[in-house]
């Protein structure tokens, strides 16, 4: 009995060692994977309520362009994202009236090609260049601030930044309460020019010196041209001469 009791600790230790050995031999847990590249649509999808804006970003392929810029440069971007209700408030048919190129310009108009924090808007110089304008200065917008409130003017609408959706010192995404409509896309076309009036011809009662036709004036009388008058005068003169000669011979 004593021998069994004395060997029990050894058996227990041996079994414990066998059980624990696989556990200790496991590899250590892997470190968390580094964050993936910035994805604009993924950020908006996580925030929700941007279905229409996301659809336009994808169909115009502007989303791919923005993601490439963010992941290959340090310049940063600022995106003004209208929520779904902002698109609902547009006049019916507004988006459908645009061509594919105009839709690209509309979405690019909501992007500034550099990073702006809310405080940086207070010192921004207007007009601000948008992604739609390129280097030629087209499609600008103006930013004004009142305290912490940021207002955006396009010449067509006045919008307000409602809140900050995302910021990481390279990308800033702000919710705006209206779709930013650029003036160059939504200005009514100028009215068509009035048809030119036909030139007035000289009045029939004011014949030119070269007019060789006979006219009837407003009183119903016949007005002869200068050429006709000269011909008639010659005929009268010939007749008068002939008549005078006849009278002379008769006498």
């Amino acid at each position: 009995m004593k021998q069994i009791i004395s060997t029990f600790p050894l058996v227990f230790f041996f079994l414990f060692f066998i059980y624990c050995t696989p556990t200790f031999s496991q590899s250590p847990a892997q470190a968390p994977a580094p964050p993936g590249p910035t994805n604009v649509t993924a950020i908006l999808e996580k925030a929700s309520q941007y279905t229409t804006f996301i659809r336009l970003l994808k169909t115009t392929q502007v989303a791919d362009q923005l993601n490439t810029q963010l992941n290959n440069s340090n310049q940063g971007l600022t995106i003004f994202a209208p929520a779904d209700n902002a698109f609902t408030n547009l006049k019916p048919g507004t988006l459908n009236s645009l061509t594919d190129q105009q839709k690209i310009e509309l979405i690019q108009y909501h992007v500034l090609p550099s990073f702006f924090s809310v405080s940086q808007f207070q010192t921004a110089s207007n007009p601000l260049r948008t992604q739609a304008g390129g280097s030629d200065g087209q499609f600008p917008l103006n930013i004004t601030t009142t305290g912490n409130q940021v207002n955006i003017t396009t010449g067509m609408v006045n919008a307000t930044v409602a809140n900050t959706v995302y910021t990481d010192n390279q990308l800033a995404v702000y919710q705006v309460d209206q779709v930013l409509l650029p003036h160059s896309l939504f200005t009514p076309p100028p009215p068509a020019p009035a048809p030119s009036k036909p030139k007035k011809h000289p009045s029939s009662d004011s014949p030119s010196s070269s007019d060789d036709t006979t006219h009837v004036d407003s009183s119903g009388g016949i007005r002869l041209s200068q050429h006709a008058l000269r011909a008639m005068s010659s005929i009268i003169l010939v007749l008068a001469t002939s008549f005078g000669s006849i009278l002379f011979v008769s006498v």
Side-chain angles (χ1 to χ4, degrees):
M1 184 69 178
K2 291 182 179 180
Q3 184 177 2
I4 295 174
I5 295 174
S6 62
T7 58
F8 179 79
L10 295 175
V11 173
F12 177 81
F13 178 80
F14 179 77
L15 293 175
F16 178 80
F17 179 81
I18 293 175
Y19 175 80
C20 293
T21 299
T23 304
F24 295 147
S25 63
Q26 291 179 356
S27 59
Q30 295 181 352
T38 304
N39 188 307
V40 172
T41 56
I43 292 171
L44 291 170
E45 286 169 353
K46 184 176 180 180
S48 71
Q49 69 177 334
Y50 299 99
T51 305
T52 304
F53 191 58
I54 292 171
R55 176 173 55 82
L56 288 170
L57 280 167
K58 290 181 176 180
T59 57
T60 60
Q61 298 184 347
V62 172
D64 295 336
Q65 174 193 352
L66 299 181
N67 292 335
T68 300
Q69 285 182 247
L70 286 170
N71 295 298
N72 292 280
S73 71
N74 296 320
Q75 190 173 3
L77 292 173
T78 301
I79 300 175
F80 298 114
D84 290 332
N85 59 358
F87 283 97
T88 303
N89 292 332
L90 288 176
K91 182 180 178 181
T94 298
L95 295 180
N96 292 334
S97 67
L98 300 177
T99 65
D100 291 343
Q101 179 59 35
Q102 289 173 330
K103 289 178 182 179
I104 292 173
E105 292 170 341
L106 175 64
I107 298 304
Q108 289 178 330
Y109 189 64
H110 289 72
V111 182
L112 304 180
S114 55
F115 173 84
F116 279 90
S117 64
V118 173
S119 61
Q120 287 175 322
F121 284 128
Q122 298 177 359
T123 57
S125 298
N126 289 316
L128 293 180
R129 182 171 65 90
T130 64
Q131 195 86 345
S135 59
D136 54 7
Q138 295 182 349
F139 295 92
L141 52 77
N142 293 307
I143 299 284
T144 58
T145 58
T146 304
N148 291 327
Q149 179 174 304
V150 179
N151 304 308
I152 306 170
T153 303
T154 72
M156 298 294 295
V157 297
N158 298 317
T160 301
V161 172
N163 60 64
T164 301
V165 178
Y166 177 87
T167 183
D168 61 1
N169 295 323
Q170 184 189 18
L171 170 65
V173 181
Y174 300 106
Q175 179 185 343
V176 287
D177 60 355
Q178 294 192 58
V179 179
L180 306 181
L181 303 179
H183 192 271
S184 56
L185 284 185
F186 294 95
T187 303
S196 59
K197 295 181 179 180
K199 294 182 179 180
K200 290 185 177 180
H201 295 289
S203 176
S204 60
D205 57 355
S206 301
S208 64
S209 60
S210 61
D211 190 359
D212 292 333
T213 60
T214 302
H215 303 279
V216 179
D217 60 18
S218 59
S219 62
I222 297 176
R223 177 170 294 176
L224 300 177
S225 66
Q226 292 184 5
H227 180 75
L229 288 174
R230 286 195 297 268
M232 185 173 291
S233 298
S234 299
I235 294 172
I236 293 173
L237 180 60
V238 171
L239 292 175
T241 303
S242 300
F243 184 75
S245 299
I246 295 172
L247 287 177
F248 180 78
V249 172
S250 300
V251 174

